Amino acid sequence: MTTVAKLNYQRKLAGLPLIRFDIVRLNPEDIQDLRDAYAAMYEISDIAVGDARGYTALARGHGYDQDLCHNDSRIFLTWHRSYVYAFEKALNTALKWKRKDDQLELTLPFWNWTQYKSDTHASNGIPKTIDDMTYKNSAGATVDNPLARAKSLYRTLSQGLTGEEAYTHRYPTQLRSGISQLKDEVDRYMDNPDFSSFSDDFNNGAHGSVHVWVGGSNPSSPLPSKVGDMRSVISAGYDPIFWLHHSMVDKVWFDWQALHPGVSVPRHVLDTTVYGGKPGSAYIDAPNSLRYIYSSDSVDTAMASTGTMAEADALTTPVTMASVSPQTNKEIPLGTVTSGFARAQLDFFRLHPPKESFEVRAYVDNPNCNADSGYDDPSYAGRMVLFGHGVCHGAPGHCNPDLAKRDAYDIRSKHPLRYEHTSYCLDVTRGLRNHIGRKKSIDDVKIYLVTVDGDGKGVSPGALRYEGCSLRTFG
């Protein structure tokens, strides 16, 4: 059976927008993908809380301990669209990481809180797939449901809670009775052609009500405020339901945009930076700029209506660039070197910033040089010190930019350790001048590189990874 993640991957190959579906219309395989993706994000955070791919790194942006979202209510819609977008991409990254499958494009479903059906929803008004605390896995074992709760940094660090109380809680006693009110309000929002008042009404109406009603309150709660996590800005982002709620919030805006095309968005909203560092203008056009749409159809219906599989099957297999083997040979042939230069340097192309700190020494035409060859060796030409990045503090794959590729379907900032545009050079002016002496030129010149660690001990030439090296001279 084709899953949401597989369907959307094929849509991506066909150049079509990805689809976000109603969570109650998902097939069991899609629900399992969603569970596994959430669980993988939790796992990444358990390994390294600072890993940007993990759940905690995203959840903390809404409240404890960063509180990035509520400093300007005018950008409520653009900020949360960028926030949910970032989470969705991290969710898919985590699933690919866990499954070791690059051919996935999992999208975040929406929870339509204007509807209730007894066969798909719990009695409190929340879909069973989100509300049930456990589920039976493929082996028949009863396991925790990752969509029902998550460990909260606010609870553990700020409140000092442990055990079961370290996880998010909900007390949705008022939610179901308010669903008809939510539907009525959303219908009313759709008739408002003004962006600012639509945003304010929505923010302070249905959006806030869902937060309050899902969180609820419990007098016996160990939290000083006695309320569920969704009821407070500082803790809401840690509850797994937060993202499904805000996917619905985004859908309401998406639908409003379709009913009111061309409506003017205030300049302040367009220019103000939102989550992820881009201006709000980057998040106005979801279908064309962000490459996603919404559907209330089932996955099977969406697949049949778009013919995506047939289109994708006819595509030519995308060309994958062959990986370039990193340079490991310490011998650098320069060919003929002509005198008369004011400066000579070795330029290293796409040098990977190393984890450890190294010193790279260059020697001219001395194949026997090693870590014991010092600066006073006659063949010494110059050195370069690489200040190491340090040991990776994230989960496996955190420092691998190949696992964080960006394209038209992912406009997030690039991986911070990308090396496509790194610029490293090693000054060999004095060494080459001494080697050439009074001659006009010397043929078949070779530079030999020796790499040593911070203690001056030699390390494998392979510790220095780059994709090319050339000599550049200046007159």
Side-chain angles (χ1 to χ4, degrees), residues 282-299:
Y283 293 90
I284 299 298
D285 189 347
N288 296 303
S289 297
L290 305 178
R291 310 296 292 154
Y292 71 81
I293 58 176
Y294 287 92
S295 175
S296 296
D297 292 331
S298 67
V299 179

Side-chain angles (χ1 to χ4, degrees), residues 206-217:
H207 156 257
S209 295
V210 173
H211 273 285
V212 173
W213 291 342
V214 169
S217 64

Side-chain angles (χ1 to χ4, degrees), residues 56-231:
T56 298
L58 271 296
R60 70 198 308 181
H62 192 270
Y64 185 84
D65 58 347
Q66 294 179 342
D67 196 15
L68 301 176
C69 97
H70 280 74
N71 62 346
D72 188 344
S73 62
R74 292 172 293 179
I75 61 170
F76 162 68
L77 292 172
T78 51
W79 194 95
H80 284 87
R81 175 169 283 180
S82 66
Y83 193 42
V84 169
Y85 180 86
F87 181 82
E88 180 177 67
K89 297 306 179 185
L91 195 68
N92 185 57
T93 296
L95 184 63
K96 292 194 294 185
W97 172 76
K98 194 63 177 178
R99 297 274 180 83
K100 296 180 173 59
D101 185 353
D102 287 335
Q103 297 185 356
L104 299 174
E105 281 296 333
L106 181 67
T107 49
L108 181 70
F110 62 93
W111 162 37
N112 187 347
W113 28 252
T114 68
Q115 296 180 356
Y116 171 82
K117 295 181 180 180
S118 59
D119 58 332
T120 56
H121 290 66
S123 59
N124 58 24
I126 297 177
K128 296 176 183 178
T129 54
I130 313 171
D131 189 67
D132 292 343
M133 296 303 295
T134 61
Y135 74 97
K136 286 190 176 181
N137 63 17
S138 58
T142 300
V143 297
D144 290 340
N145 179 12
L147 306 180
R149 65 175 191 168
K151 190 176 292 185
S152 166
L153 201 67
Y154 170 64
R155 284 175 166 262
T156 56
L157 293 189
S158 177
Q159 304 301 303
L161 300 174
T162 60
E164 292 297 305
E165 297 303 332
Y167 292 83
T168 54
H169 285 55
R170 306 168 190 160
Y171 309 107
T173 55
Q174 300 183 65
L175 175 65
R176 183 177 172 184
S177 62
I179 289 177
S180 60
Q181 175 68 15
L182 294 173
K183 185 180 186 309
D184 179 70
E185 289 183 349
V186 169
D187 290 342
R188 178 167 54 84
Y189 301 152
M190 292 299 164
D191 293 331
N192 185 350
D194 179 72
F195 176 90
S196 295
S197 57
F198 161 74
S199 177
D200 288 341
D201 290 349
F202 189 14
N203 183 12
N204 302 317
H207 156 257
S209 295
V210 173
H211 273 285
V212 173
W213 291 342
V214 169
S217 64
N218 179 8
S220 63
S221 170
L223 285 174
S225 61
K226 309 297 183 184
V227 300
D229 294 88
M230 276 284 283
R231 187 166 168 173

